[in-house]
């Protein structure tokens, strides 16, 4: 019982801390002349509600970027109170947003079916697939090794005592990194 009570108190304090940080950041750190607030979901709680309140007070738009459905990420029974609360929060906030981005057609369909469709709310919903553009290509092994050598040099400069501990010398530093190794017979 004592352990469960401490866990419960921890989660309450964590939620209150998040609420305070979000309120402080949005209401005191963000300039008042923003046109919109873009929020990634999840996390749903407490961010969505606080961002919506900020948008109402400052008369700006709330755009939700749906990467997943927060309630679906909880490994608990569908009837668990936390899961029900987060699902209802997401439904409530989806109806109040001025626009939506989704990473899949499935999330868009969920929004249309469960959150927006029943009340015929018309807000823009755009599917933007979460994948790299075509010009991103795998890095060549030689290029990766050169980058790792540069990073390696910076790492070892900041940790000189480790150099001695691992018996690293200049030749080894120029040849091997934490992630790549040069082999004289085979190359990389």
């Amino acid at each position: 019982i004592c352990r469960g009570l401490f866990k419960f108190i921890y989660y309450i304090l964590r939620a209150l801390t998040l609420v305070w940080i979000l309120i402080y950041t949005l209401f005191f750190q963000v300039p008042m002349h923003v046109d919109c607030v873009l929020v990634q979901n999840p996390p749903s709680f407490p961010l969505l509600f606080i961002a919506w309140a900020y948008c109402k007070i400052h008369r700006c738009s709330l755009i939700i970027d749906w990467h997943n459905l927060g309630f679906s990420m909880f490994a608990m029974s569908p009837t668990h109170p936390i899961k029900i609360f987060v699902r209802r929060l997401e439904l409530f906030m989806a109806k109040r947003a001025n626009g939506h981005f989704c990473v899949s057609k499935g999330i868009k369909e969920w929004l249309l079916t469960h959150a927006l469709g029943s009340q015929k709310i018309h807000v823009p919903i755009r599917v933007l697939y979460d994948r790299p553009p075509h010009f991103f290509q795998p890095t060549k092994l030689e290029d990766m090794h050169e980058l790792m050598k540069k990073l390696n040099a910076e790492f070892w400069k900041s940790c000189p005592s480790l150099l001695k501990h691992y018996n690293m010398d200049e030749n080894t530093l120029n040849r091997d990194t934490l992630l790549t190794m040069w082999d004289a017979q085979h190359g990389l």
Side-chain angles (χ1 to χ4, degrees), residues 4-188:
L5 179 64
F6 283 125
K7 198 173 188 180
F8 177 74
I9 291 170
Y10 166 78
Y11 287 127
I12 296 294
L13 290 175
R14 184 172 178 206
L16 290 173
T17 302
L18 279 172
V19 166
W20 168 246
I21 290 169
L22 290 168
I23 289 172
Y24 178 77
T25 302
L26 278 173
F27 287 89
F28 299 105
Q29 299 294 312
V30 174
M32 293 171 102
H33 59 278
V34 298
D35 295 322
C36 72
V37 174
L38 176 64
V39 176
Q40 180 177 318
N41 186 64
S44 310
F45 178 79
L47 180 58
L48 287 178
F49 184 77
I50 293 170
W52 172 75
Y54 175 87
C55 291
K56 288 304 259 183
I57 290 168
H58 294 287
R59 295 192 170 120
C60 57
S61 298
L62 174 65
I63 312 296
I64 302 176
D65 181 10
W66 296 87
H67 283 250
N68 209 325
L69 300 170
F71 75 88
S72 70
M73 298 175 67
F74 290 99
M76 32 180 86
S77 157
T79 59
H80 193 283
I82 292 175
K83 196 165 191 168
I84 291 170
F85 170 75
V86 173
R87 184 176 194 276
R88 287 182 180 167
L89 175 68
E90 288 178 328
L91 290 168
F92 178 82
M93 296 313 305
K95 294 173 186 172
R96 281 146 186 84
N98 301 96
H100 301 276
F101 294 132
C102 304
V103 297
S104 71
K105 287 181 182 174
I107 294 176
K108 178 181 179 177
E109 291 303 316
W110 183 87
L111 283 171
L112 289 170
T113 304
H114 295 90
L116 306 174
S118 62
Q119 297 188 356
K120 303 298 181 216
I121 297 172
H122 298 286
V123 296
I125 303 174
R126 301 286 181 261
V127 176
L128 302 172
Y129 294 104
D130 195 6
R131 59 180 164 218
H134 296 291
F135 60 82
F136 279 104
Q137 298 295 321
T139 305
K140 294 180 192 169
L141 200 51
E142 292 80 11
D143 295 339
M144 187 186 312
H145 185 64
E146 286 305 313
L147 173 63
M148 290 298 119
K149 281 176 31 180
K150 289 177 188 174
L151 294 173
N152 201 37
E154 291 298 316
F155 173 76
W156 291 114
K157 278 184 202 173
S158 64
C159 305
S161 61
L162 286 178
L163 276 173
K164 292 176 187 170
H165 179 76
Y166 286 106
N167 296 321
M168 301 291 277
D169 60 19
E170 198 67 33
N171 289 333
T172 306
L173 287 178
N174 288 328
R175 188 186 68 225
D176 301 340
T177 72
L178 294 173
L179 300 174
T180 60
M181 178 189 284
W182 180 261
D183 182 347
Q185 283 184 313
H186 304 96
L188 285 172

